[in-house]
Amino acid sequence: MTSIPQDQPSDPNPLQALTLDQLRRRTSMKWRTHPADVLPLWVAEMDVPLAEPVVRAVTDAMELGDTGYPVGSAYAEALAAFAGKRWGWDDLAVERTAIVPDVMLGVVEMLRLVTGPGDPVVVNPPVYPPFYQFVTHLDRRVVEAPLGADLRIDPGALEDAFRRAVADGGRAAYLLCSPHNPTGTVHTAQELSAVAALAERYGVRVVADEIHAPVVGTGARFVPYLSVPGAERGLAVMSASKGWNLAGLKAALALAGPGAAADLARMPEEVGHGPSHVGVLAHTAALRDGTAWLDAVLAGLDENRRLLTGLLAEHLPGVVHRPGEATYLAWLDCRALDLGDDPADVFLHRGRVALSSGIPFGTGGAGHVRLNLATSPEVITEAVRRMAAALA
């Protein structure tokens, strides 16, 4: 599969479009969880205005009163076209897709299809905390295969986890985070092919959460799991949510490899009633007409990664940071700062900066924080200044 370069952005940087006063008028979780004197760089929301095609699609729907139930394949067709242009993946089969309420609820439905109560689900910590929360709420048990010291999939740890997961004869699944949250790691085609081979060897079903797929930095290439050899029995869930800041417009797509088509076909029809019809319209417009806006965001995120790296080196040299290849999240190792297992608590109460605590991310998370880069350079600069002041 050839690499398809992204277009050079011609739009202004959306990350520099809004002031703090404008952002504080928002009523979402990011802006209402903490007091107004706290800089919120925690939950995965972007500080951007919406892409104009998305605004137009939603506005048109409101004017028409088009707020019924979702139907049709326009979302899947837009994703297929985006995947072909963006990732060189021309084999996304629209007929093997289904709309689901959002990525994590889609993951839950995929796990229902391929596992039963009490069955194991393998994850790669440190990893997105809802992987633990949703899996256990589903009455499955989590089996950890920690990332290596390089923050990449450790084949030996993964094989050991697969071996343990199938030891009791149950149906096992592997919940793959691709690109990886919180580290920003982009799994290579070689790594994903090795995953597929291991999964087939041990009879483990792979479910890939690919919500951050559109948010990949310059120099990295996202590889859809279902595009690699051996992944025919895999399932994936994708969305425009993270790329275009659409968490409040619920919609996602479940995708099946050719060997998993029968599994996806067993998903109850009523699951497809859960997504927002307006959300589907918004996501479709983003994928179809919002790529120039996305490229401007990606360019801004590249700049923010470089900015954060320089600021940490200058003001917090004890923090270990490997800039991620994807997502708009930075994973910071603060263990050398001697702030205990939860440095996020120190930065919040002493520095008035809200970051995500590393502890809920599982093994390897203690002593770490996750920082949201999808904001203005001025906010990042002030946040690092406050974090450094918190150590004084």
Side-chain angles (χ1 to χ4, degrees):
M1 186 170 64
T2 58
S3 176
I4 307 297
Q6 66 191 46
D7 298 332
Q8 290 299 311
S10 56
D11 289 11
N13 183 358
L15 295 167
Q16 295 181 318
L18 301 174
T19 66
L20 266 178
D21 286 342
Q22 289 174 307
L23 290 165
R24 291 195 187 282
R25 291 168 54 195
R26 293 183 170 182
T27 59
S28 63
M29 180 183 290
K30 181 176 185 179
W31 294 99
R32 286 293 184 267
T33 298
H34 298 285
D37 67 323
V38 172
L39 285 180
L41 279 75
W42 62 294
V43 72
E45 298 179 21
M46 291 200 282
D47 294 347
V48 291
L50 288 182
E52 192 277 333
V54 172
V55 174
R56 187 170 64 246
V58 173
T59 301
D60 288 348
M62 296 300 102
E63 291 177 347
L64 287 169
D66 190 8
T67 54
Y69 294 103
V71 70
S73 59
Y75 188 0
E77 291 164 5
L79 178 60
F82 181 88
K85 180 179 180 182
R86 208 74 173 187
W87 308 317
W89 185 30
D90 296 318
D91 296 325
L92 193 163
V94 171
E95 65 275 14
R96 292 199 304 273
T97 67
I99 53 172
V100 290
D102 60 25
V103 166
M104 280 311 303
L105 291 178
V107 163
V108 166
E109 295 301 333
M110 299 304 98
L111 291 175
R112 286 188 201 278
L113 296 174
V114 298
T115 64
D119 282 339
V121 177
V122 176
V123 303
N124 297 127
V127 72
Y128 185 48
F131 276 25
Y132 293 91
Q133 298 157 357
F134 278 88
V135 167
T136 55
H137 183 67
L138 186 61
D139 193 25
R140 273 60 169 170
R141 57 187 176 89
V142 173
V143 176
E144 293 190 329
L147 298 176
D150 58 357
L151 302 181
R152 307 198 72 88
I153 294 172
D154 181 335
L158 188 63
E159 181 166 14
D160 178 66
F162 282 4
R163 187 182 297 114
R164 287 184 283 119
V166 301
D168 295 333
R171 296 189 295 166
Y174 172 36
L175 181 48
L176 170 68
C177 194
S178 179
H180 192 85
N181 175 5
T183 65
T185 299
V186 177
H187 310 304
T188 66
Q190 182 177 4
E191 288 171 328
L192 294 175
S193 295
V195 164
L198 276 178
E200 284 302 298
R201 183 184 311 164
Y202 286 93
V204 175
R205 300 298 298 276
V206 178
V207 177
D209 170 355
E210 297 179 329
I211 194 172
H212 287 279
V215 192
V216 175
T218 302
R221 181 170 71 92
F222 170 71
V223 179
Y225 177 71
L226 297 183
S227 72
V228 303
E232 291 79 11
R233 293 204 309 139
L235 295 157
V237 190
M238 287 187 172
S239 174
S241 173
K242 287 295 178 280
W244 285 268
N245 205 41
L246 303 177
L249 289 165
K250 292 288 189 181
L253 282 165
L255 296 80
D263 294 305
L264 187 59
R266 290 188 289 106
M267 190 175 72
E269 178 187 353
E270 57 267 24
V271 173
H273 298 168
S276 161
H277 176 51
V278 178
V280 170
L281 296 175
H283 289 231
T284 302
L287 290 162
R288 187 181 57 218
D289 302 318
T291 55
W293 182 93
L294 174 65
D295 288 335
V297 169
L298 296 180
L301 290 174
D302 282 343
E303 294 171 5
N304 283 359
R305 290 187 192 97
R306 291 189 290 269
L307 173 65
L308 179 65
T309 298
L311 289 170
L312 291 174
E314 180 180 356
H315 299 288
L316 288 167
V319 172
V320 178
H321 169 229
R322 293 183 177 90
E325 303 167 296
T327 81
Y328 48 77
L329 307 165
W331 186 238
L332 309 183
D333 182 349
C334 303
R335 288 174 291 180
L337 302 182
D338 197 27
L339 299 178
D341 286 346
D342 192 11
D345 185 68
V346 176
F347 291 131
L348 175 61
H349 290 100
R350 294 188 196 168
R352 310 308 286 165
V353 178
L355 307 170
S356 296
S357 169
I359 295 172
F361 290 79
T363 297
H368 292 70
V369 298
R370 192 190 72 177
L371 182 150
N372 181 344
L373 283 164
T375 188
S376 70
E378 292 76 17
V379 168
I380 292 172
T381 301
E382 173 63 12
V384 174
R385 186 197 69 76
R386 292 187 185 191
M387 291 165 67
L391 306 184

